[in-house]
Amino acid sequence: MENKIIARTLRLLGQLMELHDENPFKVKSIANAAFKIDKLPYPIAGKSLTEMEQIDGLGKSTASKVWALVQTNSIPELSDLLAQTPSGIVEMMRIKGLGPKKIVVIWKELEIENVGELYYACNENRLIEAKGFGLKTQEEIKKAIEFSMASSGRFIYARIEHFAEGLLQELQRQFRTDQVYVVGQYRRRCEIIDSLDILTSYSLTNDIKQLLENAGLNPGSFINNAIECEAEIGIKVNLIFCTSENIGWQKILHTGNNDHVDELALKLVNTDVSGKSEYEIYALAGIPFIEPELREGLNEFPLAAANKLPDLISYTDLKGTLHNHSTWSDGVHSLEEMAVFCRDELKLAYLGICDHSKSAFYANGLNEIRVAAQQREIEELNIKLAPFYIFKGIESDILYDGSLDYSSDVLASFDFVVASVHSILKMTEDKATERLIKAVENPFTTILGHPTGRLLLSRGGYPINHRKVIDACAANNVIIEINANPLRLDLDWRWQQYAIEKGVLLSINPDAHRKEGFYDMHYGTLIARKGGVSRNNCLNAMDLDQIKTLFTKKRS
């Protein structure tokens, strides 16, 4: 066993001892021993217990721990502490800038138990007011987590978008052609991107590797008309070459998943597609053009054959934004700042403010007195900012028994209620489904917020029976949120079409905690397009009068 491994194990022991508030002198002794062992010019594993005890900075107690580690590959005290500590907390200790004191606050006060929850908390600014933290520390932690996530080679769409669009432009410049296209997962707007696939009709030349290096790529070997490259940010980039005459079919071939391409190919047997555009090739197959987002081999071909492909929603279809937070709970900007930004910068007609309810104490949730005060401010702002309109909303916690957070009298004071689960996320499918359905059946629930609580690449959502929950929303006239935060994108696009078939409206909600968070509606729109959502299926594609009527009807 190498000295570095022994030192690393002792450091973990010391951190856990500090985390669990053990004697600070013992903690310091373990930390000092770890430092000493890491710097030894010889392997300590080859020493006897007596020899270990003589090493400066160890002593009998620590030496016995090192001896146990070398002989049994474990330290009893460490095993005991690990058993008392959630695995996600141990993982947090690897994040640069997070020591035991800060982790105690995160774990015990903010009730965050894994890196995924911590990353989302950074996005919601929950760390800013916590003891020992601040905006700068929060941003440093967020960047450290993003770096760690990138090292896995998988990226959420939003993290790769800027790089992908910049790389596309740079390759067009290097190749001196505009026939460079991003295909694959990125073009289908998948929520998780494993690799960037780029198609080009550029003719291969001897200087291709140099051109790719100029574009910031590290090219590998050339196999089957493709070069696999690595980008500095950690994602794999596949560069695929083809002739100009074949570009239409190649775009189809490398955009759709295997099921989609195979089914289309069957419709094109013995058909010459050379020189044809994508639109022309789908026409040759006897079907309308299928948008890239829909090419997943699900129900797109039956819809195309019946001429029922959805007219996919676009960002410009959105007339307002619902489910947002202000400084009344855990937001960065004031209610007026959020409203003015929506009106003047985004040119929207309305804002739905949904600060956290009283059970969300970690997010400065509103008690009944503060609810009334916020509603008075909204009434004043609606006079001041007219015709722009602010709806009185709340993100009401769904409690463990499925009830909502507040009495009926308080819930009745809101224009609309977003009901969401934020606590006790470890549930069986039956319990989670029962909990959501009970909340959906509450007559005050307008929108079901982020239905599974998932955090992409960080935390799987609690398991639910999607069909039962969606059916309950249909029966109770409850809208389902497509949470546009790129870490959530929940409701999952795979269930959006089922909701539409059941007549359930969907709402693209940014869950913004600062002005810049409104821009996440872009990602919500992309994932809604992937789910086959049109403006007719989307709540906040309604104009102000329409949505006022809908909320009034629901409340009555």
Side-chain angles (χ1 to χ4, degrees), residues 485-517:
N485 186 299
L487 287 168
R488 288 194 184 273
L489 301 179
D490 184 19
L491 180 68
D492 188 287
W493 62 266
R494 296 161 187 83
W495 286 101
Q496 291 171 21
Q497 194 60 228
Y498 181 75
I500 291 166
E501 290 170 5
K502 290 293 181 177
V504 175
L505 278 175
L506 299 164
S507 185
I508 298 173
N509 295 343
D511 199 353
H513 285 69
R514 63 180 79 192
K515 291 185 291 187
E516 295 80 7

PDB file of all heavy atoms in Angstrom, residues 485-517:
ATOM      1  N   ASN A 485     -35.568  24.521 -15.909  1.00  0.00           N
ATOM      2  CA  ASN A 485     -34.197  24.521 -15.418  1.00  0.00           C
ATOM      3  C   ASN A 485     -33.458  23.363 -16.093  1.00  0.00           C
ATOM      4  O   ASN A 485     -33.913  22.218 -16.026  1.00  0.00           O
ATOM      5  CB  ASN A 485     -34.180  24.352 -13.902  1.00  0.00           C
ATOM      6  CG  ASN A 485     -32.786  24.480 -13.327  1.00  0.00           C
ATOM      7  OD1 ASN A 485     -31.892  23.709 -13.654  1.00  0.00           O
ATOM      8  ND2 ASN A 485     -32.585  25.460 -12.465  1.00  0.00           N
ATOM      9  N   PRO A 486     -32.327  23.626 -16.760  1.00  0.00           N
ATOM     10  CA  PRO A 486     -31.671  22.564 -17.538  1.00  0.00           C
ATOM     11  C   PRO A 486     -31.192  21.381 -16.718  1.00  0.00           C
ATOM     12  O   PRO A 486     -30.867  20.338 -17.273  1.00  0.00           O
ATOM     13  CB  PRO A 486     -30.503  23.286 -18.218  1.00  0.00           C
ATOM     14  CG  PRO A 486     -30.306  24.551 -17.451  1.00  0.00           C
ATOM     15  CD  PRO A 486     -31.647  24.921 -16.907  1.00  0.00           C
ATOM     16  N   LEU A 487     -31.177  21.521 -15.382  1.00  0.00           N
ATOM     17  CA  LEU A 487     -30.855  20.383 -14.525  1.00  0.00           C
ATOM     18  C   LEU A 487     -32.070  19.502 -14.268  1.00  0.00           C
ATOM     19  O   LEU A 487     -31.933  18.354 -13.842  1.00  0.00           O
ATOM     20  CB  LEU A 487     -30.302  20.875 -13.187  1.00  0.00           C
ATOM     21  CG  LEU A 487     -28.892  21.440 -13.208  1.00  0.00           C
ATOM     22  CD1 LEU A 487     -28.592  22.137 -11.901  1.00  0.00           C
ATOM     23  CD2 LEU A 487     -27.885  20.345 -13.484  1.00  0.00           C
ATOM     24  N   ARG A 488     -33.250  20.026 -14.524  1.00  0.00           N
ATOM     25  CA  ARG A 488     -34.478  19.275 -14.245  1.00  0.00           C
ATOM     26  C   ARG A 488     -35.144  18.776 -15.538  1.00  0.00           C
ATOM     27  O   ARG A 488     -35.265  17.593 -15.756  1.00  0.00           O
ATOM     28  CB  ARG A 488     -35.466  20.139 -13.455  1.00  0.00           C
ATOM     29  CG  ARG A 488     -35.079  20.379 -11.999  1.00  0.00           C
ATOM     30  CD  ARG A 488     -36.256  20.934 -11.237  1.00  0.00           C
ATOM     31  NE  ARG A 488     -35.986  21.283  -9.862  1.00  0.00           N
ATOM     32  CZ  ARG A 488     -36.062  20.427  -8.842  1.00  0.00           C
ATOM     33  NH1 ARG A 488     -36.359  19.165  -9.038  1.00  0.00           N
ATOM     34  NH2 ARG A 488     -35.849  20.851  -7.607  1.00  0.00           N
ATOM     35  N   LEU A 489     -35.644  19.685 -16.359  1.00  0.00           N
ATOM     36  CA  LEU A 489     -36.393  19.332 -17.575  1.00  0.00           C
ATOM     37  C   LEU A 489     -37.400  18.237 -17.257  1.00  0.00           C
ATOM     38  O   LEU A 489     -37.437  17.175 -17.881  1.00  0.00           O
ATOM     39  CB  LEU A 489     -35.430  18.923 -18.695  1.00  0.00           C
ATOM     40  CG  LEU A 489     -34.414  20.007 -19.095  1.00  0.00           C
ATOM     41  CD1 LEU A 489     -33.498  19.497 -20.201  1.00  0.00           C
ATOM     42  CD2 LEU A 489     -35.096  21.303 -19.518  1.00  0.00           C
ATOM     43  N   ASP A 490     -38.219  18.515 -16.297  1.00  0.00           N
ATOM     44  CA  ASP A 490     -39.131  17.564 -15.669  1.00  0.00           C
ATOM     45  C   ASP A 490     -40.513  18.211 -15.621  1.00  0.00           C
ATOM     46  O   ASP A 490     -40.660  19.270 -15.009  1.00  0.00           O
ATOM     47  CB  ASP A 490     -38.602  17.297 -14.249  1.00  0.00           C
ATOM     48  CG  ASP A 490     -39.370  16.255 -13.464  1.00  0.00           C
ATOM     49  OD1 ASP A 490     -40.089  15.463 -14.080  1.00  0.00           O
ATOM     50  OD2 ASP A 490     -39.235  16.242 -12.225  1.00  0.00           O
ATOM     51  N   LEU A 491     -41.449  17.724 -16.377  1.00  0.00           N
ATOM     52  CA  LEU A 491     -41.797  16.402 -16.839  1.00  0.00           C
ATOM     53  C   LEU A 491     -40.896  15.948 -17.979  1.00  0.00           C
ATOM     54  O   LEU A 491     -40.671  16.668 -18.942  1.00  0.00           O
ATOM     55  CB  LEU A 491     -43.268  16.396 -17.298  1.00  0.00           C
ATOM     56  CG  LEU A 491     -43.854  15.107 -17.833  1.00  0.00           C
ATOM     57  CD1 LEU A 491     -43.987  14.055 -16.763  1.00  0.00           C
ATOM     58  CD2 LEU A 491     -45.182  15.375 -18.489  1.00  0.00           C
ATOM     59  N   ASP A 492     -40.408  14.701 -17.891  1.00  0.00           N
ATOM     60  CA  ASP A 492     -39.578  14.103 -18.913  1.00  0.00           C
ATOM     61  C   ASP A 492     -40.299  14.132 -20.255  1.00  0.00           C
ATOM     62  O   ASP A 492     -41.498  13.888 -20.336  1.00  0.00           O
ATOM     63  CB  ASP A 492     -39.274  12.649 -18.512  1.00  0.00           C
ATOM     64  CG  ASP A 492     -38.253  12.003 -19.415  1.00  0.00           C
ATOM     65  OD1 ASP A 492     -38.611  11.692 -20.570  1.00  0.00           O
ATOM     66  OD2 ASP A 492     -37.106  11.805 -18.993  1.00  0.00           O
ATOM     67  N   TRP A 493     -39.571  14.423 -21.334  1.00  0.00           N
ATOM     68  CA  TRP A 493     -40.178  14.558 -22.654  1.00  0.00           C
ATOM     69  C   TRP A 493     -40.868  13.279 -23.106  1.00  0.00           C
ATOM     70  O   TRP A 493     -41.818  13.309 -23.898  1.00  0.00           O
ATOM     71  CB  TRP A 493     -39.133  14.985 -23.691  1.00  0.00           C
ATOM     72  CG  TRP A 493     -38.003  14.015 -23.916  1.00  0.00           C
ATOM     73  CD1 TRP A 493     -36.787  14.015 -23.307  1.00  0.00           C
ATOM     74  CD2 TRP A 493     -37.982  12.912 -24.839  1.00  0.00           C
ATOM     75  NE1 TRP A 493     -36.005  12.984 -23.768  1.00  0.00           N
ATOM     76  CE2 TRP A 493     -36.715  12.293 -24.723  1.00  0.00           C
ATOM     77  CE3 TRP A 493     -38.894  12.390 -25.741  1.00  0.00           C
ATOM     78  CZ2 TRP A 493     -36.332  11.179 -25.478  1.00  0.00           C
ATOM     79  CZ3 TRP A 493     -38.525  11.273 -26.500  1.00  0.00           C
ATOM     80  CH2 TRP A 493     -37.266  10.679 -26.366  1.00  0.00           C
ATOM     81  N   ARG A 494     -40.429  12.132 -22.597  1.00  0.00           N
ATOM     82  CA  ARG A 494     -41.007  10.845 -23.016  1.00  0.00           C
ATOM     83  C   ARG A 494     -42.458  10.676 -22.573  1.00  0.00           C
ATOM     84  O   ARG A 494     -43.174   9.819 -23.085  1.00  0.00           O
ATOM     85  CB  ARG A 494     -40.150   9.702 -22.480  1.00  0.00           C
ATOM     86  CG  ARG A 494     -38.737   9.678 -23.063  1.00  0.00           C
ATOM     87  CD  ARG A 494     -37.780   8.852 -22.218  1.00  0.00           C
ATOM     88  NE  ARG A 494     -36.400   8.952 -22.685  1.00  0.00           N
ATOM     89  CZ  ARG A 494     -35.562   9.928 -22.373  1.00  0.00           C
ATOM     90  NH1 ARG A 494     -35.962  10.903 -21.576  1.00  0.00           N
ATOM     91  NH2 ARG A 494     -34.335   9.951 -22.842  1.00  0.00           N
ATOM     92  N   TRP A 495     -42.893  11.502 -21.597  1.00  0.00           N
ATOM     93  CA  TRP A 495     -44.267  11.412 -21.096  1.00  0.00           C
ATOM     94  C   TRP A 495     -45.118  12.609 -21.497  1.00  0.00           C
ATOM     95  O   TRP A 495     -46.314  12.642 -21.190  1.00  0.00           O
ATOM     96  CB  TRP A 495     -44.242  11.269 -19.573  1.00  0.00           C
ATOM     97  CG  TRP A 495     -43.801   9.900 -19.168  1.00  0.00           C
ATOM     98  CD1 TRP A 495     -42.568   9.523 -18.733  1.00  0.00           C
ATOM     99  CD2 TRP A 495     -44.591   8.704 -19.206  1.00  0.00           C
ATOM    100  NE1 TRP A 495     -42.536   8.174 -18.483  1.00  0.00           N
ATOM    101  CE2 TRP A 495     -43.775   7.638 -18.763  1.00  0.00           C
ATOM    102  CE3 TRP A 495     -45.914   8.433 -19.558  1.00  0.00           C
ATOM    103  CZ2 TRP A 495     -44.230   6.333 -18.682  1.00  0.00           C
ATOM    104  CZ3 TRP A 495     -46.372   7.130 -19.467  1.00  0.00           C
ATOM    105  CH2 TRP A 495     -45.539   6.097 -19.031  1.00  0.00           C
ATOM    106  N   GLN A 496     -44.544  13.553 -22.180  1.00  0.00           N
ATOM    107  CA  GLN A 496     -45.311  14.743 -22.547  1.00  0.00           C
ATOM    108  C   GLN A 496     -46.406  14.421 -23.568  1.00  0.00           C
ATOM    109  O   GLN A 496     -47.518  14.954 -23.492  1.00  0.00           O
ATOM    110  CB  GLN A 496     -44.371  15.829 -23.074  1.00  0.00           C
ATOM    111  CG  GLN A 496     -43.469  16.410 -21.986  1.00  0.00           C
ATOM    112  CD  GLN A 496     -42.389  17.313 -22.532  1.00  0.00           C
ATOM    113  OE1 GLN A 496     -42.492  17.834 -23.641  1.00  0.00           O
ATOM    114  NE2 GLN A 496     -41.314  17.497 -21.761  1.00  0.00           N
ATOM    115  N   GLN A 497     -46.104  13.525 -24.507  1.00  0.00           N
ATOM    116  CA  GLN A 497     -47.101  13.184 -25.528  1.00  0.00           C
ATOM    117  C   GLN A 497     -48.301  12.471 -24.905  1.00  0.00           C
ATOM    118  O   GLN A 497     -49.442  12.702 -25.299  1.00  0.00           O
ATOM    119  CB  GLN A 497     -46.464  12.303 -26.605  1.00  0.00           C
ATOM    120  CG  GLN A 497     -47.292  12.157 -27.866  1.00  0.00           C
ATOM    121  CD  GLN A 497     -47.583  13.469 -28.563  1.00  0.00           C
ATOM    122  OE1 GLN A 497     -48.729  13.729 -28.923  1.00  0.00           O
ATOM    123  NE2 GLN A 497     -46.573  14.305 -28.738  1.00  0.00           N
ATOM    124  N   TYR A 498     -48.034  11.630 -23.911  1.00  0.00           N
ATOM    125  CA  TYR A 498     -49.146  10.952 -23.226  1.00  0.00           C
ATOM    126  C   TYR A 498     -50.038  11.973 -22.527  1.00  0.00           C
ATOM    127  O   TYR A 498     -51.269  11.874 -22.553  1.00  0.00           O
ATOM    128  CB  TYR A 498     -48.615   9.933 -22.220  1.00  0.00           C
ATOM    129  CG  TYR A 498     -49.709   9.182 -21.485  1.00  0.00           C
ATOM    130  CD1 TYR A 498     -50.445   8.182 -22.122  1.00  0.00           C
ATOM    131  CD2 TYR A 498     -50.027   9.492 -20.162  1.00  0.00           C
ATOM    132  CE1 TYR A 498     -51.463   7.501 -21.466  1.00  0.00           C
ATOM    133  CE2 TYR A 498     -51.040   8.816 -19.494  1.00  0.00           C
ATOM    134  CZ  TYR A 498     -51.754   7.824 -20.145  1.00  0.00           C
ATOM    135  OH  TYR A 498     -52.772   7.157 -19.495  1.00  0.00           O
ATOM    136  N   ALA A 499     -49.418  12.963 -21.886  1.00  0.00           N
ATOM    137  CA  ALA A 499     -50.195  14.022 -21.225  1.00  0.00           C
ATOM    138  C   ALA A 499     -51.062  14.762 -22.241  1.00  0.00           C
ATOM    139  O   ALA A 499     -52.242  15.048 -21.980  1.00  0.00           O
ATOM    140  CB  ALA A 499     -49.255  14.992 -20.508  1.00  0.00           C
ATOM    141  N   ILE A 500     -50.500  15.054 -23.397  1.00  0.00           N
ATOM    142  CA  ILE A 500     -51.250  15.753 -24.439  1.00  0.00           C
ATOM    143  C   ILE A 500     -52.429  14.907 -24.909  1.00  0.00           C
ATOM    144  O   ILE A 500     -53.549  15.405 -25.092  1.00  0.00           O
ATOM    145  CB  ILE A 500     -50.311  16.099 -25.617  1.00  0.00           C
ATOM    146  CG1 ILE A 500     -49.307  17.172 -25.185  1.00  0.00           C
ATOM    147  CG2 ILE A 500     -51.098  16.577 -26.828  1.00  0.00           C
ATOM    148  CD1 ILE A 500     -48.145  17.350 -26.147  1.00  0.00           C
ATOM    149  N   GLU A 501     -52.199  13.619 -25.103  1.00  0.00           N
ATOM    150  CA  GLU A 501     -53.274  12.712 -25.532  1.00  0.00           C
ATOM    151  C   GLU A 501     -54.417  12.689 -24.521  1.00  0.00           C
ATOM    152  O   GLU A 501     -55.581  12.523 -24.893  1.00  0.00           O
ATOM    153  CB  GLU A 501     -52.718  11.293 -25.713  1.00  0.00           C
ATOM    154  CG  GLU A 501     -51.787  11.143 -26.908  1.00  0.00           C
ATOM    155  CD  GLU A 501     -51.073   9.798 -26.913  1.00  0.00           C
ATOM    156  OE1 GLU A 501     -51.387   8.955 -26.024  1.00  0.00           O
ATOM    157  OE2 GLU A 501     -50.204   9.587 -27.771  1.00  0.00           O
ATOM    158  N   LYS A 502     -54.083  12.878 -23.242  1.00  0.00           N
ATOM    159  CA  LYS A 502     -55.101  12.873 -22.190  1.00  0.00           C
ATOM    160  C   LYS A 502     -55.742  14.243 -21.993  1.00  0.00           C
ATOM    161  O   LYS A 502     -56.578  14.421 -21.101  1.00  0.00           O
ATOM    162  CB  LYS A 502     -54.479  12.403 -20.863  1.00  0.00           C
ATOM    163  CG  LYS A 502     -54.106  10.917 -20.866  1.00  0.00           C
ATOM    164  CD  LYS A 502     -55.345  10.050 -20.938  1.00  0.00           C
ATOM    165  CE  LYS A 502     -55.033   8.589 -20.928  1.00  0.00           C
ATOM    166  NZ  LYS A 502     -56.253   7.746 -20.935  1.00  0.00           N
ATOM    167  N   GLY A 503     -55.320  15.221 -22.801  1.00  0.00           N
ATOM    168  CA  GLY A 503     -55.909  16.554 -22.706  1.00  0.00           C
ATOM    169  C   GLY A 503     -55.335  17.417 -21.607  1.00  0.00           C
ATOM    170  O   GLY A 503     -55.945  18.425 -21.219  1.00  0.00           O
ATOM    171  N   VAL A 504     -54.160  17.052 -21.095  1.00  0.00           N
ATOM    172  CA  VAL A 504     -53.531  17.812 -20.016  1.00  0.00           C
ATOM    173  C   VAL A 504     -52.687  18.939 -20.613  1.00  0.00           C
ATOM    174  O   VAL A 504     -51.867  18.709 -21.504  1.00  0.00           O
ATOM    175  CB  VAL A 504     -52.642  16.905 -19.139  1.00  0.00           C
ATOM    176  CG1 VAL A 504     -51.892  17.719 -18.085  1.00  0.00           C
ATOM    177  CG2 VAL A 504     -53.487  15.825 -18.476  1.00  0.00           C
ATOM    178  N   LEU A 505     -52.877  20.152 -20.123  1.00  0.00           N
ATOM    179  CA  LEU A 505     -52.032  21.265 -20.523  1.00  0.00           C
ATOM    180  C   LEU A 505     -50.661  21.150 -19.852  1.00  0.00           C
ATOM    181  O   LEU A 505     -50.549  20.647 -18.722  1.00  0.00           O
ATOM    182  CB  LEU A 505     -52.659  22.594 -20.125  1.00  0.00           C
ATOM    183  CG  LEU A 505     -53.740  23.190 -21.025  1.00  0.00           C
ATOM    184  CD1 LEU A 505     -54.308  24.449 -20.366  1.00  0.00           C
ATOM    185  CD2 LEU A 505     -53.183  23.514 -22.403  1.00  0.00           C
ATOM    186  N   LEU A 506     -49.625  21.629 -20.547  1.00  0.00           N
ATOM    187  CA  LEU A 506     -48.274  21.668 -20.000  1.00  0.00           C
ATOM    188  C   LEU A 506     -47.833  23.119 -19.893  1.00  0.00           C
ATOM    189  O   LEU A 506     -48.275  23.969 -20.669  1.00  0.00           O
ATOM    190  CB  LEU A 506     -47.320  20.877 -20.895  1.00  0.00           C
ATOM    191  CG  LEU A 506     -47.685  19.388 -21.029  1.00  0.00           C
ATOM    192  CD1 LEU A 506     -46.974  18.765 -22.203  1.00  0.00           C
ATOM    193  CD2 LEU A 506     -47.358  18.631 -19.748  1.00  0.00           C
ATOM    194  N   SER A 507     -46.990  23.419 -18.921  1.00  0.00           N
ATOM    195  CA  SER A 507     -46.535  24.797 -18.708  1.00  0.00           C
ATOM    196  C   SER A 507     -45.020  24.822 -18.661  1.00  0.00           C
ATOM    197  O   SER A 507     -44.405  24.105 -17.865  1.00  0.00           O
ATOM    198  CB  SER A 507     -47.110  25.352 -17.404  1.00  0.00           C
ATOM    199  OG  SER A 507     -46.774  26.709 -17.244  1.00  0.00           O
ATOM    200  N   ILE A 508     -44.399  25.618 -19.534  1.00  0.00           N
ATOM    201  CA  ILE A 508     -42.937  25.729 -19.573  1.00  0.00           C
ATOM    202  C   ILE A 508     -42.514  26.768 -18.540  1.00  0.00           C
ATOM    203  O   ILE A 508     -42.593  27.967 -18.763  1.00  0.00           O
ATOM    204  CB  ILE A 508     -42.464  26.116 -20.987  1.00  0.00           C
ATOM    205  CG1 ILE A 508     -42.861  25.032 -21.984  1.00  0.00           C
ATOM    206  CG2 ILE A 508     -40.949  26.328 -20.999  1.00  0.00           C
ATOM    207  CD1 ILE A 508     -42.588  25.390 -23.435  1.00  0.00           C
ATOM    208  N   ASN A 509     -42.075  26.297 -17.385  1.00  0.00           N
ATOM    209  CA  ASN A 509     -41.783  27.162 -16.235  1.00  0.00           C
ATOM    210  C   ASN A 509     -40.291  27.214 -15.955  1.00  0.00           C
ATOM    211  O   ASN A 509     -39.667  26.174 -15.727  1.00  0.00           O
ATOM    212  CB  ASN A 509     -42.495  26.640 -14.982  1.00  0.00           C
ATOM    213  CG  ASN A 509     -44.000  26.700 -15.101  1.00  0.00           C
ATOM    214  OD1 ASN A 509     -44.541  27.394 -15.942  1.00  0.00           O
ATOM    215  ND2 ASN A 509     -44.688  25.955 -14.257  1.00  0.00           N
ATOM    216  N   PRO A 510     -39.688  28.400 -15.922  1.00  0.00           N
ATOM    217  CA  PRO A 510     -38.242  28.474 -15.693  1.00  0.00           C
ATOM    218  C   PRO A 510     -37.810  28.211 -14.259  1.00  0.00           C
ATOM    219  O   PRO A 510     -36.651  27.911 -14.008  1.00  0.00           O
ATOM    220  CB  PRO A 510     -37.896  29.902 -16.116  1.00  0.00           C
ATOM    221  CG  PRO A 510     -39.149  30.671 -15.885  1.00  0.00           C
ATOM    222  CD  PRO A 510     -40.274  29.722 -16.205  1.00  0.00           C
ATOM    223  N   ASP A 511     -38.732  28.348 -13.298  1.00  0.00           N
ATOM    224  CA  ASP A 511     -38.344  28.201 -11.886  1.00  0.00           C
ATOM    225  C   ASP A 511     -37.191  29.161 -11.586  1.00  0.00           C
ATOM    226  O   ASP A 511     -36.224  28.810 -10.906  1.00  0.00           O
ATOM    227  CB  ASP A 511     -37.935  26.753 -11.617  1.00  0.00           C
ATOM    228  CG  ASP A 511     -37.961  26.385 -10.141  1.00  0.00           C
ATOM    229  OD1 ASP A 511     -38.175  27.289  -9.315  1.00  0.00           O
ATOM    230  OD2 ASP A 511     -37.740  25.206  -9.815  1.00  0.00           O
ATOM    231  N   ALA A 512     -37.294  30.378 -12.130  1.00  0.00           N
ATOM    232  CA  ALA A 512     -36.199  31.350 -12.045  1.00  0.00           C
ATOM    233  C   ALA A 512     -36.042  31.886 -10.631  1.00  0.00           C
ATOM    234  O   ALA A 512     -37.020  32.252  -9.984  1.00  0.00           O
ATOM    235  CB  ALA A 512     -36.453  32.497 -13.012  1.00  0.00           C
ATOM    236  N   HIS A 513     -34.797  31.949 -10.182  1.00  0.00           N
ATOM    237  CA  HIS A 513     -34.466  32.520  -8.871  1.00  0.00           C
ATOM    238  C   HIS A 513     -33.670  33.817  -9.012  1.00  0.00           C
ATOM    239  O   HIS A 513     -33.237  34.385  -8.025  1.00  0.00           O
ATOM    240  CB  HIS A 513     -33.674  31.516  -8.042  1.00  0.00           C
ATOM    241  CG  HIS A 513     -34.516  30.402  -7.494  1.00  0.00           C
ATOM    242  ND1 HIS A 513     -35.070  29.431  -8.301  1.00  0.00           N
ATOM    243  CD2 HIS A 513     -34.910  30.113  -6.227  1.00  0.00           C
ATOM    244  CE1 HIS A 513     -35.759  28.585  -7.548  1.00  0.00           C
ATOM    245  NE2 HIS A 513     -35.676  28.974  -6.293  1.00  0.00           N
ATOM    246  N   ARG A 514     -33.482  34.248 -10.235  1.00  0.00           N
ATOM    247  CA  ARG A 514     -32.828  35.516 -10.563  1.00  0.00           C
ATOM    248  C   ARG A 514     -33.263  35.892 -11.967  1.00  0.00           C
ATOM    249  O   ARG A 514     -33.833  35.072 -12.688  1.00  0.00           O
ATOM    250  CB  ARG A 514     -31.311  35.409 -10.461  1.00  0.00           C
ATOM    251  CG  ARG A 514     -30.697  34.426 -11.454  1.00  0.00           C
ATOM    252  CD  ARG A 514     -29.192  34.350 -11.305  1.00  0.00           C
ATOM    253  NE  ARG A 514     -28.803  33.513 -10.181  1.00  0.00           N
ATOM    254  CZ  ARG A 514     -27.575  33.458  -9.683  1.00  0.00           C
ATOM    255  NH1 ARG A 514     -26.629  34.224 -10.193  1.00  0.00           N
ATOM    256  NH2 ARG A 514     -27.291  32.669  -8.678  1.00  0.00           N
ATOM    257  N   LYS A 515     -32.990  37.120 -12.380  1.00  0.00           N
ATOM    258  CA  LYS A 515     -33.459  37.580 -13.689  1.00  0.00           C
ATOM    259  C   LYS A 515     -32.935  36.685 -14.818  1.00  0.00           C
ATOM    260  O   LYS A 515     -33.684  36.331 -15.737  1.00  0.00           O
ATOM    261  CB  LYS A 515     -33.031  39.032 -13.928  1.00  0.00           C
ATOM    262  CG  LYS A 515     -33.743  40.032 -13.025  1.00  0.00           C
ATOM    263  CD  LYS A 515     -33.388  41.469 -13.349  1.00  0.00           C
ATOM    264  CE  LYS A 515     -31.968  41.814 -13.001  1.00  0.00           C
ATOM    265  NZ  LYS A 515     -31.683  43.263 -13.156  1.00  0.00           N
ATOM    266  N   GLU A 516     -31.667  36.318 -14.726  1.00  0.00           N
ATOM    267  CA  GLU A 516     -31.082  35.505 -15.791  1.00  0.00           C
ATOM    268  C   GLU A 516     -31.747  34.138 -15.909  1.00  0.00           C
ATOM    269  O   GLU A 516     -31.697  33.496 -16.956  1.00  0.00           O
ATOM    270  CB  GLU A 516     -29.580  35.319 -15.541  1.00  0.00           C
ATOM    271  CG  GLU A 516     -28.764  36.600 -15.616  1.00  0.00           C
ATOM    272  CD  GLU A 516     -28.849  37.446 -14.349  1.00  0.00           C
ATOM    273  OE1 GLU A 516     -29.439  36.962 -13.352  1.00  0.00           O
ATOM    274  OE2 GLU A 516     -28.327  38.575 -14.345  1.00  0.00           O
ATOM    275  N   GLY A 517     -32.375  33.683 -14.827  1.00  0.00           N
ATOM    276  CA  GLY A 517     -33.031  32.375 -14.841  1.00  0.00           C
ATOM    277  C   GLY A 517     -34.193  32.286 -15.809  1.00  0.00           C
ATOM    278  O   GLY A 517     -34.582  31.191 -16.236  1.00  0.00           O
TER     279      GLY A 517
END
